[in-house]
Amino acid sequence: IKGPGVQAVQDVSLFIKKGETLGLVGESGCGKTTLGRTILRLYEPTGGKIIYDGETIYDNPLDKDGKPLGKAKAAKMLPYRRKMQIIFQDPYASLDPRMTVSSIIEEGMVIHGMYDAKRRQERVYELLELVGLNKEHANRYPHEFSGGQRQRVGIARALAVDPEFIVCDEPVSALDVSVQAQILNLLKDLQRALGLTYVFISHDLGVVRHLSDRVAVMYLGRVVEIGPVAEIFSAPRHPYTQALLAAMPRVQTGRQQFAAIRGEVASPVNPPGGCHFHPRCPRAEARCAVETPVVAEREGVRVMCHFS
Ligand code: SF4
């Protein structure tokens, strides 16, 4: 998809299994947030197909060059909006400061015509308990809460409409490190208790490793490697995944060691030809600048590189 202020994402094909967490990682500008929001159709795709639980919710076939062939057929999103929710990165910006926590959490239930007013109020209290807050918090305003508590409110708001699938868009990156683990554990517990499916977007590989079953690594709008979390972290095959892992801070003799990835990320709207990673890749050869690598699958891991 392309548009003003929106990163381009292309040639991406993903499936997400019920009940799993798919981590989506990459440097900023790689298109992971765009992809997450496009799955929910918060950003309208320009072509391709989205199937949710067997139902096609967007369909605009592409030709062999990746260009849309015709006009999109798109399902009405309201029923899917209830099943598919998002938790935003910034709990400060995503909660309306003029609304009480109770009305923030209740809003989705009102939109979707769920329950009568009395039951909705009970449900608000239940949800507050579920996310580790309590009834007394219901009539307060967002500014009265800490960052971690606000993110709990954001989670309660997403859960209010009984979703099945949640895109967690960098849900802990605006929080203090000490609070991050509490929110991650809460998300994990909720997944187990409610049978939720997550797409978990983060630039922090440590966080993704902790939470995900499978990981998709994105670079300039393409998924360059995808596979089970253990495989990706123990034996990364794509040179970009290898570089990302090498750049991860690790504790060695009490000091943090960093190995930066060389070069800058190019513009996603006008990426380099061939393999987008070629200007930064230590293994690049002449064909990498002109030929787009095809995706090859081996032992459950899909890699987009001529030499992997
Ligand atoms: Fe590097 Fe070439 Fe592989 Fe791209 S296709 S990751 S440039 S070796």
Side-chain angles (χ1 to χ4, degrees), residues 123-294:
R123 188 91 183 103
V124 167
Y125 297 150
E126 288 165 11
L127 286 158
L128 285 169
E129 298 275 338
L130 192 65
V131 298
L133 296 170
N134 59 57
K135 218 171 148 156
E136 280 72 54
H137 292 120
N139 290 321
R140 300 204 196 148
Y141 289 86
H143 75 267
E144 298 176 65
F145 292 89
S146 67
Q149 286 175 319
R150 276 187 251 215
Q151 196 52 296
R152 289 176 193 268
V153 174
I155 295 169
R157 173 179 58 183
L159 294 178
V161 291
D162 293 332
E164 300 163 342
F165 173 80
I166 302 182
V167 172
C168 306
D169 188 2
E170 300 263 14
V172 298
S173 43
L175 303 176
D176 290 346
V177 174
S178 58
V179 182
Q180 289 189 358
Q182 295 169 14
I183 298 294
L184 292 175
N185 288 336
L186 173 65
L187 288 169
K188 245 183 162 167
D189 292 346
L190 291 168
Q191 181 173 42
R192 229 172 280 133
L194 305 173
L196 299 168
T197 305
Y198 290 150
V199 166
F200 191 91
I201 300 171
S202 181
H203 65 279
D204 183 333
L205 287 158
V207 163
V208 165
R209 183 181 205 167
H210 180 72
L211 216 83
S212 306
D213 301 297
R214 289 188 304 134
V215 181
V217 180
M218 286 194 74
Y219 188 75
L220 285 181
R222 289 176 176 160
V223 171
V224 296
E225 183 162 5
I226 180 168
V229 72
E231 305 287 325
I232 301 286
F233 279 85
S234 64
R237 293 194 198 146
H238 195 282
Y240 179 61
T241 315
Q242 292 166 354
L244 268 187
L245 289 177
M248 242 177 115
R250 63 195 87 226
V251 178
Q252 283 180 359
T253 60
R255 288 162 67 202
Q256 286 204 324
Q257 310 263 321
F258 294 87
I261 304 176
R262 65 178 195 171
E264 297 288 319
V265 187
S267 159
V269 178
N270 190 16
C275 172
H276 291 346
F277 190 51
H278 80 262
R280 303 173 78 190
C281 181
R283 283 166 57 192
E285 295 186 11
R287 65 185 286 210
C288 300
V290 284
E291 261 180 63
T292 302
V294 292

